[in-house]
Amino acid sequence: MSHNRKDKRSARERLQEQRAKDEARQKRKRTYIAAGVIVVVLGAVGGIGALIASQSDDDEADARGPVVDPKGATGEKRVAIPAGAADAPATLTVFEDFRCPGCAGFENGFRKTITELREAGQLRIEYHLVRLIDGNLGGSGSLRAANAAACAQDAGKFSAYHDLLYQNQPREQDDAFADRGYLIELAGKVSGLDTPAFRACVNKGTHDSWVQKVDKAFEKSGHGATPTVLLNGENVYGDQDDPLTPEKLKKEVAEAAKDKGR
């Protein structure tokens, strides 16, 4: 019996030892799997980081290369796109960003008045297209929309396309204007703009370096916000105590015309 009990005890011990080995093996397996997952995750994070860095580099690369001024660019260093008669008695200088909600508020609120004054030969507008939001929030929508608008200037369609971009402005944090295809799609709403030449200009970023030049000039101008609106050199927009209205703009332009005998 003793021998038999000894045999039974040995069997139980061997079974326990086997179970212990199996448990240890499973534990090691789980450890290896967890370690593998960590490596994969870290690799993915690294890949995402590299992708973000690459995208950031691509955005900066968009603004490199030779500077190609859009047709008719004016002002010192040719950083402004003009609209309206060169001899108009009043000049409205606008620093704006196509991703800027405040800029859309100004453009959409004053569009009718500005268009009337421009077409009447009373007001000339000089647009400075900057990329402030790209710098603040990341992305390249400000840059690419400004380039597309410069391409529209080459085609003689700047004002219509400029207004269309503000009428279709995405939310500030939605970098939809970074999609060149979308910019071209919008151009289809402006008669005669969606041409092979325009598409090539948008897709190649022909005026990207020009936009960067405009943006650097804006940084040095002393104006730190968009929109900044100057009438004959005087800042007329953003005063909370005496805000600019369409009626006030008309009055001030009329006074400028009177001073010049117009």
Side-chain angles (χ1 to χ4, degrees), residues 171-253:
R171 292 180 299 103
E172 185 177 13
Q173 298 197 11
D174 179 359
D175 197 22
F177 283 162
D179 182 351
R180 295 186 178 100
Y182 179 53
L183 295 171
I184 292 172
E185 178 185 333
L186 288 176
K189 299 181 180 182
V190 177
S191 179
L193 179 56
D194 186 6
T195 64
F198 174 80
R199 289 186 172 219
C201 184
V202 171
N203 286 324
K204 292 179 181 178
T206 298
H207 300 298
D208 283 350
S209 291
W210 174 79
V211 176
Q212 188 70 359
K213 179 176 73 168
V214 177
D215 195 65
K216 288 182 177 178
F218 173 64
E219 289 178 1
K220 297 177 181 178
S221 70
H223 303 299
T226 56
T228 292
V229 182
L230 313 177
L231 182 62
N232 290 338
E234 181 181 352
N235 198 328
V236 295
Y237 191 72
D239 187 342
Q240 298 298 321
D241 296 325
D242 188 20
L244 183 69
T245 64
E247 292 72 24
K248 184 178 178 182
L249 178 60
K250 286 181 179 180
K251 181 180 178 180
E252 295 196 8
V253 169

Side-chain angles (χ1 to χ4, degrees), residues 56-65 143 208-209:
S56 177
D57 290 344
D58 288 344
D59 292 341
E60 289 304 316
D62 283 340
R64 297 172 188 158
L143 169 67
D208 283 350
S209 291

Side-chain angles (χ1 to χ4, degrees), residues 9-231:
R9 186 169 56 252
S10 297
R12 286 197 300 270
E13 291 173 352
R14 288 196 297 272
L15 181 58
Q16 290 172 350
E17 289 174 2
Q18 186 61 44
R19 286 176 177 173
K21 290 179 181 179
D22 290 343
E23 289 175 359
R25 187 181 301 111
Q26 289 298 322
K27 184 177 181 179
R28 286 196 300 271
K29 184 177 181 181
R30 288 193 296 269
T31 301
Y32 294 151
I33 291 173
V37 170
I38 291 172
V39 170
V40 170
V41 170
L42 289 176
V45 171
I48 292 170
L51 176 60
I52 292 172
S54 175
Q55 289 174 337
S56 177
D57 290 344
D58 288 344
D59 292 341
E60 289 304 316
D62 283 340
R64 297 172 188 158
V67 175
V68 180
D69 299 330
K71 291 181 180 179
T74 190
E76 184 179 358
K77 296 184 179 181
R78 297 168 62 85
V79 293
I81 291 180
D87 63 347
T91 298
L92 196 70
T93 304
V94 183
F95 298 87
E96 60 184 9
D97 182 326
F98 286 111
R99 289 180 69 186
C100 164
C103 298
F106 170 75
E107 289 294 343
N108 294 332
F110 283 80
R111 178 176 299 111
K112 182 179 178 181
T113 300
I114 290 174
T115 300
E116 289 176 355
L117 293 170
R118 184 191 72 219
E119 292 180 348
Q122 298 297 297
L123 183 66
R124 174 182 175 86
I125 307 94
E126 294 184 348
Y127 295 97
H128 297 246
L129 310 180
V130 303
R131 53 178 310 197
L132 186 66
I133 306 301
D134 284 355
N136 290 344
L137 298 180
S140 57
S142 302
L143 169 67
R144 293 181 179 178
N147 170 69
C151 295
Q153 167 69 8
D154 291 342
K157 304 286 184 177
F158 173 79
S159 293
Y161 188 66
H162 164 275
D163 293 349
L164 187 68
L165 288 174
Y166 279 116
Q167 290 167 338
N168 290 273
Q169 185 188 72
R171 292 180 299 103
E172 185 177 13
Q173 298 197 11
D174 179 359
D175 197 22
F177 283 162
D179 182 351
R180 295 186 178 100
Y182 179 53
L183 295 171
I184 292 172
E185 178 185 333
L186 288 176
K189 299 181 180 182
V190 177
S191 179
L193 179 56
D194 186 6
T195 64
F198 174 80
R199 289 186 172 219
C201 184
V202 171
N203 286 324
K204 292 179 181 178
T206 298
H207 300 298
D208 283 350
S209 291
W210 174 79
V211 176
Q212 188 70 359
K213 179 176 73 168
V214 177
D215 195 65
K216 288 182 177 178
F218 173 64
E219 289 178 1
K220 297 177 181 178
S221 70
H223 303 299
T226 56
T228 292
V229 182
L230 313 177
L231 182 62

